[in-house]
């Protein structure tokens, strides 16, 4: 059973009760499940993220648009149907949500789409793998993920292992600065490199506990409308080997260029070629980092709920 506060919105009973009682809730995106990871590990990762969020004492709220309804708190069979490649579910950024609802479409939400929906449902924390950012060559293509601009106007904590290493990491950090989005390392003062623990870029701020992260966001949102990026690196002993990473990255970028993909198809194409090139090793690292981010997000949500905010 689900409750419907608005005709286009369905919040699951579990999420709805948790929110009403001021308990911790963590939003999860679905683009990573539908477009980012291969079958069948995609659904295993989704279930594992929900499990570790519960273990942290929070309630998971997986978000997507299903037949024109914005769903907050998706059950496993519905997610499985959405992820069926035959269904060709769309990839929905924040700007697409109204269109998907009005045309009765199906779609998985990106970080941008998820935080827009989460904030609407009054959820303040989300977890993902890697945030979208400025693409290499953006000087000519103007390809900068709407994740950045959505974060600049949506007060939600996003826990991610930095941005995907397929991007221009330095330019992305500069844009987060311009957009006023705080970036803090979780237990580190190095910006994570998605498949690698350290991107080579340092950070000005480091947070050493979920309580500290919750306190920082609770303070920040008094005077700022922006989101907040908590950068949680993959464990060093789980990261992709540096040489394997660099070789796969070059191959994946070349592949995407040869295919001539652009816009929202770039990230899925590069990630899937990365997986093929590393014989699945990148997928295992992607799984580990997303699950770790979900767990950290669960702990931050619990700490925020304890602050009463
Ligand atoms: N993290 C992952 N895999 C993914 C994504 C994040 O480990 O596939 C998704 C998120 O939904 C993010 C999107 O918002 O990639 C970025 O897409 P784009 O570069 O087209 O904005
Ligand atoms: Mn893009």
């Amino acid at each position: 059973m689900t409750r419907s506060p608005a005709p286009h919105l369905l919040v699951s009973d579990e999420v709805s009760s948790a929110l009403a009682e001021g308990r911790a809730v963590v939003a999860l995106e679905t683009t990573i499940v539908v477009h980012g990871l291969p079958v069948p590990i995609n659904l295993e990762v989704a279930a594992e993220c929900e499990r570790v969020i519960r273990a942290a004492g929070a309630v998971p709220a997986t978000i997507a648009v299903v037949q024109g309804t914005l769903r907050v708190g998706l059950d496993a069979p519905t997610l499985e149907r959405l992820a069926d490649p035959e269904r060709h579910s769309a990839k929905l950024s924040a700007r697409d949500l109204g269109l998907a609802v009005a045309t009765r479409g199906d779609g998985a939400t990106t970080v941008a789409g998820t935080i827009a929906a989460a904030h609407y449902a009054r959820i303040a924390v989300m977890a993902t793998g890697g945030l979208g950012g400025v693409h290499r060559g953006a000087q000519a293509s103007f390809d900068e993920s709407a994740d950045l601009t959505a974060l600049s106007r949506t007060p939600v904590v996003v826990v991610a292992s930095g941005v995907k290493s397929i991007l221009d990491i330095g330019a992305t950090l500069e844009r987060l600065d311009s957009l006023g989005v705080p970036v803090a390392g979780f237990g580190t003062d190095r910006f994570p490199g998605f498949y690698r623990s350290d991107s080579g870029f340092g950070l000005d701020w480091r947070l050493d506990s979920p309580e500290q992260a919750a306190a920082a966001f609770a303070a920040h949102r008094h005077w700022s409308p922006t989101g907040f990026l908590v950068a949680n690196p993959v464990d060093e002993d789980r990261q992709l080997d540096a040489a394997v990473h660099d070789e796969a990255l070059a191959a994946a970028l070349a592949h995407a260029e040869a295919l001539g993909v652009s816009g929202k198809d770039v990230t899925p194409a590069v990630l899937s070629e990365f997986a093929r090139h590393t014989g699945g090793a990148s997928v295992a690292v992607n799984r580990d980092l997303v699950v770790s981010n979900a767990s950290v997000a669960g702990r931050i949500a619990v700490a925020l709920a304890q602050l009463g905010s």
Side-chain angles (χ1 to χ4, degrees):
M1 256 302 277
T2 48
R3 286 178 208 168
S4 180
H8 55 269
L9 176 66
L10 271 184
V11 181
S12 73
D13 272 352
E14 188 193 13
V15 171
S16 166
S17 312
L19 290 170
E21 292 160 20
R23 285 186 286 123
V25 178
V26 174
L28 289 169
E29 58 137 321
T30 40
T31 290
I32 181 169
V33 182
V34 177
H35 304 285
L37 289 167
V39 178
I41 200 177
N42 58 342
L43 295 170
E44 292 161 21
V45 170
E48 184 68 2
C49 285
E50 295 215 348
R51 198 186 64 72
V52 298
I53 287 168
R54 290 181 202 284
V59 169
T62 298
I63 292 181
V65 175
V66 181
Q67 292 174 353
T69 301
L70 182 55
R71 301 278 298 263
V72 176
L74 214 59
D75 54 280
T78 307
L79 180 59
E80 187 171 349
R81 283 197 296 278
L82 194 78
D84 181 347
E86 298 287 293
R87 191 150 168 172
H88 299 291
S89 298
K91 174 176 166 184
L92 306 176
S93 187
R95 67 174 185 160
D96 304 309
L97 295 179
L99 290 154
V101 164
T103 59
R104 313 296 296 163
D106 284 327
T109 50
T110 64
V111 171
T114 304
I115 60 176
H119 181 56
Y120 178 49
R122 292 181 301 110
I123 298 171
V125 182
M126 89 154 288
T128 184
L131 186 69
V134 180
H135 283 259
R136 293 163 195 245
Q139 298 91 327
S141 68
F142 276 58
D143 190 352
E144 171 185 331
S145 177
D147 288 356
L148 300 186
T149 40
L151 256 182
S152 75
R153 59 167 190 261
T154 318
V156 171
V157 176
V158 175
V159 183
S161 300
V163 299
K164 291 178 212 76
S165 46
I166 59 176
L167 301 168
D168 184 334
I169 297 169
T172 304
L173 285 168
E174 293 296 346
R175 286 292 289 144
L176 286 165
D177 180 6
S178 310
L179 293 167
V181 178
V183 183
F186 191 75
T188 179
D189 55 11
R190 308 293 303 167
F191 191 61
F194 193 59
Y195 296 127
R196 302 273 307 156
S197 312
D198 181 350
S199 67
F201 290 84
L203 289 172
D204 291 339
W205 295 98
R206 163 185 183 138
L207 297 163
D208 283 307
S209 67
E211 291 73 25
Q212 233 179 18
F217 176 62
H220 175 79
R221 72 175 174 187
H222 281 298
W223 50 79
S224 170
T226 79
F228 193 108
L229 179 59
V230 173
N232 178 42
V234 70
D235 274 357
E236 268 175 44
D237 52 9
R238 294 291 183 105
Q239 67 184 333
L240 205 58
D241 173 81
V244 169
H245 175 272
D246 294 352
E247 206 212 303
L249 179 59
L253 291 171
H255 181 74
E257 180 151 8
L259 282 179
V261 287
S262 63
K264 59 168 73 170
D265 298 330
V266 173
T267 299
V270 177
L271 292 179
S272 96
E273 181 61 13
F274 219 109
R276 203 189 61 79
H277 204 85
T278 60
S282 70
V283 173
V285 179
N286 204 163
R287 173 196 60 211
D288 292 346
L289 65 87
V290 180
V291 172
S292 168
N293 294 341
S295 173
V296 168
R299 292 156 62 205
I300 293 173
V302 167
L304 255 185
Q306 275 160 3
L307 288 176
S309 69

